[in-house]
Amino acid sequence: MLLSRAENQTAKPDHQLNDDHIANHELANHELADQIAAIYPNLLQYLDSLNQIVLDKSQQIKLSVCALIAGGHVLFEDLPGLGKTTLAQALATLSGLHYQRIQFTNDLLPSDILGSNIFHPEKAQFEFNPGAIFSQILLADEINRSSPKTQSALLEAMEEGAVSIEGVRHVLPKPFWVLATQNPLQQSGTYPLPESQLDRFLMRLSMGYPSAEAERILLKGEDRRKLLAHIEPILTVHTVLQLQHLRAQVLISDQMIDYLQALAAWSRSKVVGLSTRGLLALKRAAQAYAIVEGRYYVIHEDVQAVFAAVVAHRIHLSEAEVQQALKHVPL
């Protein structure tokens, strides 16, 4: 094919085009690294403040923040009184996002969460009265104490960031983050979450008992929720959205993709395997963990750190059983 004079003058050899591509790629990587480095001090301050409120739970806190950066919802599951709600409130308060809390009970109705159309006689028309879900963070406390019908009211919101009421679609504020707590199913008055809703949670986390040292500090110190009342937000809406934007740009190599697929293949040898949506969730969580560690690229340790929290509730295995995959799947 003959080139015009102008094309001939601007055309570059293949090796030079390749060099330019590499240079542009490296420049983009440097820019991403600089952007993460610029926002990282705020992120560290957020993590540090959370650790001052909720003691001895640094990994649960780090994973929760990963979920925020990944744009994924979190389900805290454990016995009452172990700090689930306190951590959820701390995450919300310090994030600088508008949040509302709903105490789920067996008589809670879907309209209590979503809102409803109310008729105003003076205007002779219906007006939509938004429910508590129209916030940036929804604290769904003891979610499994409500009926399955009420639980399912959250499905569309968690998946699409919008709700449909009487045929009208209402978009929720951004970011939209659900932090839900639930008690073990062995307790009376609980209803199991449907699998379709469990799958909407990016992570399921367990608090566990605090160490003796942390518990002693709690016994001798001030109520942690009172501390929250005097703490200013660390992040802003803009910061959270920026972190979520950066997460999507975090580099994940072909080698890491191979590792993710190998872990998925291991899970699919069990009774219920990890779905493609679950695998994409694992990727997002690993990218977010890389940012929490101050990096612009994913390494094996990022995947391993989030693996159990992202996968266990999706394939009906305990976290200990899921961790076995990390021993059997080669790096």
Side-chain angles (χ1 to χ4, degrees):
M1 176 180 176
L2 296 176
L3 298 175
S4 67
R5 177 177 297 181
E7 290 172 325
N8 192 45
Q9 289 174 344
T10 57
K12 297 180 180 180
D14 288 345
H15 68 83
Q16 190 173 347
L17 287 171
N18 190 49
D19 290 345
D20 288 347
H21 176 75
I22 293 173
N24 290 335
H25 187 65
E26 289 179 348
L27 178 61
N29 290 348
H30 285 308
E31 289 176 352
L32 177 59
D34 289 343
Q35 288 176 312
I36 291 175
I39 204 170
Y40 196 58
N42 275 357
L43 186 57
L44 285 180
Q45 188 181 359
Y46 182 54
L47 287 164
D48 183 59
S49 297
L50 288 168
N51 279 295
Q52 291 177 30
I53 298 295
V54 182
L55 305 178
D56 193 38
K57 300 298 173 189
S58 59
Q59 188 61 14
Q60 288 91 333
I61 288 171
K62 188 180 286 189
L63 289 172
S64 300
V65 174
C66 280
L68 173 61
I69 296 172
H73 312 294
V74 181
L75 177 64
F76 296 100
E77 182 182 72
D78 220 321
L79 295 168
L82 293 181
K84 302 185 300 294
T85 303
T86 302
L87 175 54
Q89 288 182 323
L91 287 162
T93 302
L94 294 169
S95 68
L97 304 179
H98 173 253
Y99 73 95
Q100 295 197 62
R101 176 184 174 185
I102 301 177
Q103 181 65 48
F104 279 66
T105 56
N106 58 5
D107 59 350
L108 189 73
L109 299 174
S111 58
D112 296 329
I113 302 171
L114 305 179
S116 59
N117 290 314
I118 298 177
F119 184 72
H120 291 271
E122 66 278 6
K123 298 180 181 178
Q125 65 181 25
F126 285 92
E127 286 188 2
F128 178 64
N129 184 40
I133 202 169
F134 285 85
S135 57
Q136 291 168 320
I137 297 180
L138 178 67
L139 303 183
D141 211 4
E142 297 187 307
I143 189 173
N144 61 336
R145 290 203 180 278
S146 64
S147 67
K149 181 179 180 180
T150 301
Q151 293 171 4
S152 64
L154 290 173
L155 280 180
E156 182 185 6
M158 293 174 69
E159 181 66 18
E160 301 180 19
V163 295
S164 296
I165 300 170
E166 296 183 14
V168 179
R169 181 179 171 87
H170 301 271
V171 178
L172 298 173
K174 291 185 179 181
F176 175 68
W177 195 27
V178 174
L179 296 172
T181 70
Q182 76 168 2
N183 298 322
L185 292 178
Q186 299 90 329
Q187 294 207 331
S188 60
T190 59
Y191 302 84
L193 291 177
E195 291 182 4
S196 56
Q197 187 164 344
L198 274 177
D199 195 49
R200 263 62 175 188
F201 286 100
L202 177 68
M203 296 182 184
R204 183 182 64 184
L205 301 176
S206 176
M207 298 297 288
Y209 291 104
S211 66
E213 181 181 355
E215 197 165 46
R216 187 174 183 84
I217 294 173
L218 293 172
L219 288 169
K220 296 176 68 175
E222 188 178 0
D223 188 320
R224 314 318 284 179
R225 296 190 193 184
K226 289 183 179 178
L227 293 178
L228 274 176
H230 306 293
I231 290 182
E232 294 295 322
I234 304 298
L235 304 181
T236 64
V237 174
H238 174 74
T239 308
V240 172
L241 291 174
Q242 186 180 4
L243 284 166
Q244 292 181 346
H245 175 71
L246 290 173
R247 190 280 311 162
Q249 301 176 59
V250 169
L251 304 180
I252 183 160
S253 66
D254 288 343
Q255 184 184 10
M256 288 298 101
I257 296 294
D258 291 341
Y259 187 52
L260 289 172
Q261 289 190 300
L263 289 169
W266 172 88
S267 76
R268 290 164 187 169
S269 67
K270 306 301 175 184
V271 177
V272 179
L274 187 64
S275 67
T276 302
R277 177 163 58 190
L279 188 57
L280 289 169
L282 181 59
K283 173 195 167 186
R284 283 167 35 219
Q287 288 174 306
Y289 200 88
I291 288 183
V292 169
E293 293 294 323
R295 277 182 280 98
Y296 66 92
Y297 54 89
V298 173
I299 61 176
H300 290 97
E301 285 79 1
D302 300 325
V303 178
Q304 293 169 347
V306 301
F307 184 65
V310 173
V311 172
H313 65 288
R314 289 181 162 90
I315 62 173
H316 307 300
L317 293 177
S318 68
E319 290 194 11
E321 290 172 317
V322 169
Q323 291 287 7
Q324 292 298 313
L326 303 179
K327 299 178 181 178
H328 291 95
V329 177
L331 299 178

